[in-house]
Amino acid sequence: MRALGFWLLPLLVVSGVAGAADFVGPESCKGCHPAAYTAWQQSKHARAADSLTESQKKDARCLSCHAPDQAQQNVASVTCETCHGGGQYYSPGYVMKDPELSRLVGLVDPSEKMCRTCHDASSPSLRPFNFVESLKAIDHWSAERAKKSTRAEAPSPPPAKK
Ligand code: HEC
Ligand code: HEC
Ligand code: HEC
Ligand code: HEC
């Protein structure tokens, strides 16, 4: 894995990739992260664009939080890659298995600061944003991590289908 990543790296650096990766869409993450996908799909983030009326869907002010990547990446709502970064370069399995390489080519660890770009004073929430509580409400990683520990003895990649 490492060796492949090693060869890929110079290519990516030369093409000036950092921060500019295209989105692959949530369906592309689903095959390898089925539990995360299901949890996300049931969250309000997955339906954020649906909260807007047809005319609001053309209003850049609303889109900036409800569908920030629609214009550039043609991906609606608040999607995996809105938080984790465009997956074009990190989503291949052999890159994903290398935590350092994944991050080098675009995988983002979402921070509280990132949440607050949308969950700020201008959002309609009645209560101020509480990061710890809000994280619990969007949990899509506990099941993934439980699975990871069972998989530890079996180095083969996860099956594409459930
Ligand atoms: C070909 C399979 C595959 C695809 C497609 C894929 N992943 Fe992964 N992903 C993995 C594997 C394998 C890991 C390594 C960790 C593990 O064993 O679960 C991983 C790890 C991660 C991690 C944790 C990284 C870390 O080091 O903490 C995140 C976050 C993640 N993937 C997000 C995504 C997102 C978002 C997408 C879609 C844009 C995606 N993945 C697509 C296989 C994949
Ligand atoms: C790109 C903008 C954006 C980012 C970044 C973002 N959110 Fe959201 N979030 C929204 C929008 C918009 C909604 C409301 C969706 C709807 O109902 O239409 C929402 C809804 C939620 C809700 C559901 C609120 C409810 O009333 O049930 C939770 C919880 C939440 N977000 C947590 C988070 C956390 C935690 C982070 C950071 C890890 C985060 N969000 C990052 C835009 C964002
Ligand atoms: C700064 C980011 C931001 C902007 C800009 C924004 N929203 Fe939101 N919106 C949110 C967040 C975050 C929530 C979820 C609040 C919560 O429940 O915590 C939300 C919730 C909503 C909801 C309630 C959805 C539900 O499930 O009850 C509607 C409707 C909505 N927004 C419409 C709009 C419209 C229309 C615009 C444009 C005029 C807009 N929003 C602009 C962040 C934003
Ligand atoms: C609103 C932002 C947001 C969205 C949308 C989102 N994630 Fe995450 N994701 C996070 C945060 C924050 C964490 C880390 C939580 C923690 O470390 O406590 C995380 C963790 C993960 C992990 C576990 C990483 C690990 O350490 O094991 C995976 C896998 C993952 N996300 C995949 C996805 C996939 C796939 C999607 C879409 C189907 C998605 N995420 C959508 C914010 C988001």
Side-chain angles (χ1 to χ4, degrees):
M1 302 318 138
R2 294 239 164 213
L4 263 178
F6 184 77
W7 288 111
L8 179 71
L9 196 55
L11 278 175
L12 293 171
V13 172
V14 165
S15 56
V17 149
D22 281 340
F23 282 33
V24 296
E27 300 300 321
S28 307
C29 316
K30 183 183 179 183
C32 302
H33 298 290
Y37 180 89
T38 304
W40 166 78
Q41 204 182 30
Q42 286 160 3
S43 76
K44 291 199 173 180
H45 285 144
R47 292 184 301 274
D50 302 340
S51 295
L52 305 178
T53 64
E54 286 311 311
S55 64
Q56 289 163 346
K57 279 181 188 158
K58 297 187 186 84
D59 188 337
R61 284 176 310 154
C62 310
L63 293 175
S64 67
C65 295
H66 285 264
D69 307 301
Q70 193 158 277
Q72 300 282 330
Q73 302 287 352
N74 200 27
V75 176
S77 297
V78 180
T79 175
C80 316
E81 294 164 286
T82 307
C83 295
H84 291 287
Q88 182 180 11
Y89 300 109
Y90 69 72
S91 63
Y94 70 92
V95 181
M96 286 255 72
K97 280 183 205 147
D98 183 335
E100 282 167 42
L101 181 61
S102 308
R103 283 167 176 83
L104 216 48
V105 297
L107 181 68
V108 173
D109 293 311
S111 66
E112 174 170 3
K113 199 176 158 205
M114 191 231 35
C115 310
R116 288 184 181 278
T117 60
C118 298
H119 292 270
D120 67 359
S122 67
S123 87
S125 183
L126 297 175
R127 287 183 297 158
F129 184 68
N130 179 317
F131 181 60
V132 175
E133 289 304 313
S134 300
L135 265 192
K136 283 184 205 148
I138 65 159
D139 182 357
H140 53 274
W141 45 83
S142 296
E144 292 278 333
R145 284 175 191 166
K147 217 176 50 184
K148 204 188 289 185
S149 43
T150 19
R151 220 169 40 222
E153 291 102 72
S156 54
K161 286 186 193 124
K162 221 184 179 174

